[in-house]
Amino acid sequence: MRQIDHFISGGSPAPTGRTHKIWNPSTGEIQAEVVLGNAATLEAAVAKAKEVQPAWAATNPQKRARVMFEFKALVEANKQELAELLSSEHGKVVEDAHGDVQRGLEVIEFACGIPQALKGEYSQGAGPGIDVYSMRQPLGIGAGITPFNFPAMIPMWMFGMAIAAGNAFILKPSERDPSVPVRLAELFLEAGAPEGLLQVVHGDKEMVDAILDHPDIPAISFVGSSDIAQYIYQRGAANAKRVQAFGGAKNHGIVMPDADLDQVVNDLAGAAFGSAGERCMALPVVVPVGEDTADKLREKLIPAINALRVGVSNDPDAHYGPVVTPEHKARVEGWIDTAEKEGAEVVIDGRGFNLQGHEDGFFVGPTLLDRVTTDMESYKEEIFGPVLQIVRAKDFEDAVRLPSEHQYGNGVAIFTRNGHAAREFASRVNVGMVGINVPIPVPVSYHSFGGWKRSGFGDIDQYGMEGLKFWTKAKKITQRWPDGNEDLGNAFIIPTMG
């Protein structure tokens, strides 16, 4: 059986004897196993990172950018291989896996401009003979703990900015689909990066805790569930680390009475069911405003959802594939059970879905639930599967309130032709990322990504200039070059610039 090992320069420490199985979600077969590490594994990676990072930080930004450019070219040249490898372990269809890789590459493209991004500020003559300037310097060693649902994009979001800024980086990917992160590290080394600059360690909670407690890792980025995000933020902060921890989501799509319902249905089909709903930026809750809008939308949704094709990950005609593990399939179907018991109407039922010839695969059929209310646990919590819930709003105020009061505040979208309504909604809604007639409002790479409330812990977002701030610290210098003729004044009084 294929075994996936750590990617640590100089070799791995003594094996722990622990492994984790890697499924093929389309067939239900175990296709590989990944070696799980511990604190000793991490220590080996940290030792190598400490050895190589100072020289990398001293490398001028232009040369660091050239490595990023070369890495970008290598990923593009190997994109098909990466997409197929990703699909085989995650289950998302190959075309969707291409998007996973591409959105990560867009952040690498931004990181290629690191010489411009790292330029500091300068003020000449801030006081008599005094100049003030600032610079951004790397923190040292960064760590990333990434989820199963985007094994290419999110690692590149993290290590692209961290390494371009002058840090070394240790990546702990999900143990469910670890092959793509390892392959990215191999390509980064091939691009000309020093050995030990980007390393990959595998593990479970034992490895996570080792990262959180290690004194030589000053900054940690995480994406995953909200409970774990909160745990990582609190434990990391208690250890005086800089932490950004992004959690779950329950994104709402507000449908105003004037919306183009055909376009809304098309957008919802992709946003709710693409990647089997295993996306923190999926749109699993649609909020039609008014009963008439709700009835018309439901009428159009039913044939569109019934027309969705569920298939194996390499089926070019499939709209989405299986979920990642048998446990996750049971969890999603359990939430449909819960919603039905709570009083939701199961309009389209995806439980017990079987794909002919792949009966052991982890497939969940597309599911539509109506008459969902805010007191239902199935509404409050993240289902993370191909399930769309209809929550009917009385009016615009009700539509603003629903996502604003939800425990998650990752993303939200409004569908309307009314510019005033869209502007008012975007201004007032208590959510971190807003789409206006855009169902999945993930910002482009030169902005930044981050949700609010239990969707995000920490003060600084991912990638863009926010990402640069997270992976660097600002140094401020005030300088004076006296010519010997100045009145030195009173040395016991705090200096001013006036």
Side-chain angles (χ1 to χ4, degrees):
M1 180 179 293
R2 182 169 62 97
Q3 187 173 83
I4 303 159
D5 206 347
H6 312 286
F7 188 82
I8 298 176
S9 296
S12 300
T16 62
R18 297 190 305 127
T19 61
H20 188 276
K21 57 192 174 186
I22 308 299
W23 296 97
N24 180 330
S26 293
T27 66
E29 299 172 332
I30 298 172
Q31 60 170 311
E33 61 181 14
V34 60
V35 175
L36 301 181
N38 56 17
T41 313
L42 178 66
E43 192 59 50
V46 170
K48 187 64 180 180
K50 287 175 66 176
E51 178 185 321
V52 71
Q53 188 272 331
W56 178 250
T59 301
N60 70 55
Q62 302 98 293
K63 290 183 178 179
R64 298 204 299 263
R66 288 172 195 148
V67 172
M68 305 307 293
F69 272 113
E70 183 62 25
F71 174 66
K72 173 181 177 292
L74 286 170
V75 172
E76 288 172 336
N78 292 274
K79 186 183 284 188
Q80 184 66 24
E81 174 207 343
L82 290 165
E84 291 176 358
L85 184 59
L86 193 161
S87 293
S88 72
E89 292 184 353
H90 175 279
K92 68 175 68 178
V93 296
V94 173
E95 184 179 1
D96 197 18
H98 272 281
D100 189 330
V101 176
Q102 180 59 37
R103 287 309 298 257
L105 268 180
E106 289 170 8
V107 173
I108 299 299
E109 289 172 349
F110 180 84
C112 289
I114 197 67
Q116 169 71 18
L118 277 177
K119 288 197 308 184
E121 300 171 322
Y122 190 95
S123 294
Q124 182 179 15
I130 296 174
D131 303 328
V132 179
Y133 65 96
S134 65
M135 62 178 72
R136 302 206 72 88
Q137 295 185 321
L139 301 174
I141 302 173
I145 303 168
T146 57
F148 75 87
N149 58 325
F150 284 98
M153 180 183 79
I154 294 177
M156 284 193 277
W157 280 7
M158 294 180 185
F159 73 68
M161 293 304 303
I163 291 177
N167 301 284
F169 198 86
I170 296 172
L171 174 65
K172 205 296 291 181
S174 171
E175 59 273 24
R176 299 179 187 178
D177 47 5
S179 292
V180 166
V182 171
R183 185 70 182 114
L184 290 173
E186 292 172 349
L187 292 174
F188 201 73
L189 185 62
E190 187 179 337
E195 283 194 24
L197 194 64
L198 174 60
Q199 299 176 92
V200 181
V201 295
H202 305 294
D204 48 19
K205 185 177 184 297
E206 183 176 349
M207 178 63 76
V208 170
D209 287 346
I211 292 170
L212 292 171
D213 295 340
H214 201 290
D216 293 322
I217 299 176
I220 299 169
S221 183
F222 169 84
V223 175
S225 69
S226 289
D227 287 345
I228 298 176
Q230 185 171 7
Y231 169 79
I232 284 175
Y233 180 76
Q234 290 174 339
R235 184 159 176 166
N239 287 324
K241 298 183 186 300
R242 182 178 294 188
V243 183
Q244 54 178 196
F246 297 95
K250 194 78 171 187
N251 305 324
H252 293 54
I254 312 304
V255 182
M256 297 296 290
D258 67 336
D260 180 342
L261 292 187
D262 291 329
Q263 184 64 55
V264 170
V265 168
N266 183 71
D267 287 345
L268 285 174
F273 300 104
S275 196
E278 294 174 317
R279 298 190 286 211
C280 70
M281 289 302 289
L283 201 59
V285 178
V286 60
V287 183
V289 177
E291 288 295 326
D292 185 58
T293 305
D295 291 341
K296 289 178 180 177
L297 178 64
R298 170 176 161 155
E299 183 181 353
K300 289 178 175 289
L301 276 171
I302 291 172
I305 293 172
N306 282 329
L308 292 175
R309 180 185 173 96
V310 183
V312 295
S313 60
N314 60 359
D315 180 353
D317 296 321
H319 292 103
Y320 73 87
V323 297
V324 68
T325 63
E327 293 83 5
H328 194 59
K329 171 181 167 69
R331 180 181 180 275
V332 172
E333 292 186 337
W335 275 119
I336 301 171
D337 293 341
T338 298
E340 186 174 35
K341 292 173 184 175
E342 290 177 321
E345 180 187 354
V346 182
V347 182
I348 300 174
D349 193 346
R351 290 171 292 187
F353 181 92
N354 280 311
L355 185 66
Q356 186 174 2
H358 295 84
E359 287 79 7
D360 293 328
F362 313 141
F363 297 96
V364 180
T367 298
L368 179 64
L369 304 173
D370 197 1
R371 307 292 175 180
V372 174
T373 57
T374 57
D375 59 337
M376 295 179 180
E377 290 301 312
S378 60
Y379 168 76
K380 296 176 185 177
E381 300 297 335
E382 184 178 38
I383 295 176
F384 220 60
V387 180
L388 178 61
Q389 297 175 296
I390 300 175
V391 180
R392 297 171 178 237
K394 298 187 299 294
D395 51 28
F396 178 77
E397 291 299 321
D398 200 23
V400 175
R401 179 184 61 79
L402 286 168
S404 295
E405 293 182 355
H406 201 280
Q407 64 167 327
Y408 297 119
N410 206 43
V412 69
I414 183 170
F415 301 93
T416 183
R417 293 184 174 96
N418 187 316
H420 174 73
R423 185 173 185 272
E424 182 79 1
F425 181 83
S427 176
R428 291 172 53 191
V429 71
N430 185 27
V431 173
M433 293 175 280
V434 181
I436 298 172
N437 298 312
V438 174
I440 303 179
V442 178
V444 293
S445 62
Y446 41 91
H447 285 262
S448 61
F449 177 98
W452 291 358
K453 296 178 283 186
R454 282 183 55 77
S455 293
F457 299 85
D459 300 323
I460 305 179
D461 287 344
Q462 289 206 61
Y463 66 74
M465 292 306 294
E466 285 280 290
L468 181 67
K469 289 178 182 178
F470 182 79
W471 296 111
T472 59
K473 52 192 173 185
K475 182 178 286 184
K476 288 71 63 178
I477 299 96
T478 303
Q479 67 178 8
R480 181 179 65 180
W481 299 103
D483 61 10
N485 297 319
E486 289 90 347
D487 180 3
L488 298 180
N490 192 333
F492 295 94
I493 299 174
I494 189 169
T496 64
M497 299 301 171

